[in-house]
């Protein structure tokens, strides 16, 4: 596990992904590899799938023209990918990253990150697409697939601008998964030196305080400056609202626990916090 992989795709969040990946590689003191995967989109594949429907009497010139069009599209995509990576490399180098590489791959993003998982310390990728309503966000299905497929941490960039975090907000629910997330943070240099806010949502503050104190002790023993917070209400509304009160924050959470927090954070199709949070989210496994 000795690289940060910055997964870029040329969308609006690409610059922020590069900046977050560069910041992460420097914090972890590991090399950075910027990755761009050329995926075949269904609407493009449909152009070359006409051959089976044209029939035996089709003009061979038409088939050749379709094949040539597909080849041209592939070459253009490769050249655009190389230019994207060249620009990304220059941006990361300007941010101070010395150990830096780029990679252009064909295939599916999820398959590619799974292939590279053994060599990964962290994956950084962009997140959502905005819908017509600015208050509702749709989670890119590829992001959720990556989160579910890999066991390495994933940093999801949820906006188009990088701002170095001044604190991190750790979502906690007292479960084994949440405790493991706290222990991971405590062992890693990634967030060292940043103040922490450990937050828990629910209805029983007395019970929550004991669990919060346990998490606080784990971080305090590791040298973190930490405070705790309890927010009344359901996690799906209370936690995003709390995050909005924390400027320049990075949200940290565990994934795939066995609690109501798990159902909130990693739903079957979307993650409410990822859809609603303006702060980037670090997901720990």
């Amino acid at each position: 596990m000795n690289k940060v992989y910055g997964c870029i795709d040329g969308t609006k969040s690409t610059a922020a992904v590069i900046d977050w990946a560069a910041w992460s590689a420097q914090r972890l003191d590991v090399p950075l590899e910027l990755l761009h995967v050329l995926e075949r989109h269904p609407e493009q594949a449909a152009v070359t799938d006409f051959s089976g429907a044209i029939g035996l009497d089709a003009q061979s010139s038409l088939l050749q023209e379709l094949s040539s069009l597909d080849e041209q599209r592939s070459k253009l995509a490769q050249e655009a990918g190389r230019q994207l990576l060249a620009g990304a490399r220059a941006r990361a180098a300007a941010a101070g990253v010395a150990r830096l590489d780029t990679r252009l791959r064909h295939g599916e993003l999820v398959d590619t990150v799974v292939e590279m998982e053994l060599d990964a310390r962290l994956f950084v990728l962009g997140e959502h697409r905005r819908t017509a309503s600015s208050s509702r966000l749709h989670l890119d299905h590829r992001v959720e697939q990556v989160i579910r497929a890999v066991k390495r941490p994933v940093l999801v960039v949820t906006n188009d601008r990088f701002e170095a975090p001044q604190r991190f907000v750790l979502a906690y629910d007292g479960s084994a998964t949440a405790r493991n997330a706290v222990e991971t943070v405590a062992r890693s240099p990634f967030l060292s030196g940043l103040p922490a806010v450990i937050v828990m949502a629910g209805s029983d503050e007395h019970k929550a305080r004991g669990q919060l104190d346990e998490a606080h002790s784990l971080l305090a023993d590791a040298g973190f400056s930490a405070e705790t917070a309890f927010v009344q209400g359901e996690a799906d509304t209370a936690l995003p609202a709390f995050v909005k009160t924390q400027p320049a924050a990075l949200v940290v959470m565990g994934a795939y626990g066995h609690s109501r927090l798990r159902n909130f954070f990693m739903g079957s199709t979307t993650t409410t916090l990822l859809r609603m949070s303006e702060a980037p989210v670090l997901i720990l496994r």
Side-chain angles (χ1 to χ4, degrees):
M1 298 190 295
N2 59 1
K3 284 184 182 180
V4 169
Y5 283 98
C7 306
I8 60 175
D9 59 4
T11 57
K12 286 179 61 178
S13 65
T14 292
V17 170
I18 297 166
D19 294 344
W20 272 105
W23 181 85
S24 300
Q26 291 172 307
R27 294 283 298 188
L28 292 169
D29 192 24
V30 297
L32 169 61
E33 185 160 313
L34 296 165
L35 172 68
H36 178 54
V37 180
L38 295 173
E39 296 183 308
R40 179 174 289 277
H41 299 287
E43 65 273 15
Q44 294 179 354
V47 173
T48 57
D49 286 343
F50 284 135
S51 58
I54 288 175
L56 297 176
D57 296 331
Q59 295 291 330
S60 61
S61 60
L62 179 56
L63 295 177
Q64 291 173 358
E65 185 176 347
L66 289 172
S67 177
S68 175
L69 180 63
D70 193 52
E71 183 179 353
Q72 291 175 36
R73 182 185 291 112
S74 177
K75 289 180 178 179
L76 288 173
Q78 290 183 59
E79 179 58 28
R82 285 190 286 267
Q83 292 184 17
L84 174 65
L85 287 170
R89 184 186 187 102
R91 187 180 183 96
V97 179
R99 292 175 290 172
L100 179 60
D101 203 356
T102 61
R103 188 180 306 206
L104 181 67
R105 294 290 297 269
H106 290 79
E108 297 295 327
L109 174 63
V110 176
D111 295 337
T112 302
V113 298
V114 169
E115 179 184 339
M116 297 177 177
E117 183 175 5
L118 288 177
D119 198 33
R121 185 78 171 268
L122 172 71
F123 291 103
V124 183
L125 64 161
E127 196 249 346
H128 51 241
R129 305 289 189 268
R130 291 188 178 271
T131 63
S133 171
S134 61
S135 63
R136 301 299 297 172
L137 304 173
H138 174 66
L139 181 63
D140 188 331
H141 73 280
R142 291 172 299 179
V143 173
E144 187 173 10
Q145 287 176 337
V146 169
I147 294 170
R148 292 182 178 279
V150 300
K151 292 182 173 58
R152 300 290 186 252
V154 178
L155 174 57
V156 183
V157 177
T158 57
N159 54 49
D160 304 333
R161 183 175 62 88
F162 169 76
E163 181 178 9
Q166 302 302 310
R167 62 184 54 78
F168 65 95
V169 176
L170 198 154
Y172 194 72
D173 67 350
S175 68
T177 298
R179 181 185 174 91
N180 181 67
V182 177
E183 293 173 345
T184 299
V185 170
R187 292 193 304 265
S188 172
F190 187 58
L191 300 175
S192 177
L194 293 178
V197 181
I198 309 166
V199 60
M200 193 168 184
S203 58
D204 188 343
E205 183 172 0
H206 178 74
K207 179 181 178 181
R209 284 297 173 188
Q211 295 172 324
L212 285 169
D213 289 345
E214 177 187 39
H216 180 274
S217 296
L218 289 171
L219 289 185
D221 290 346
F224 284 86
S225 173
E227 60 183 78
T228 62
F230 175 80
V231 288
Q232 194 81 25
E234 296 295 329
D236 59 349
T237 54
L239 290 179
F242 179 83
V243 170
K244 290 180 180 179
T245 70
Q246 303 296 311
L250 172 66
V251 179
V252 181
M253 53 167 280
Y256 300 107
H258 297 282
S259 67
R260 294 175 68 186
L261 191 61
R262 176 241 181 142
N263 294 330
F264 159 55
F265 277 130
M266 297 305 302
S268 60
T269 57
T270 61
T271 297
T272 303
L273 186 60
L274 284 173
R275 287 192 294 111
M276 298 179 66
S277 177
E278 292 296 327
V281 181
L282 175 64
I283 300 170
L284 302 176
R285 298 297 301 277

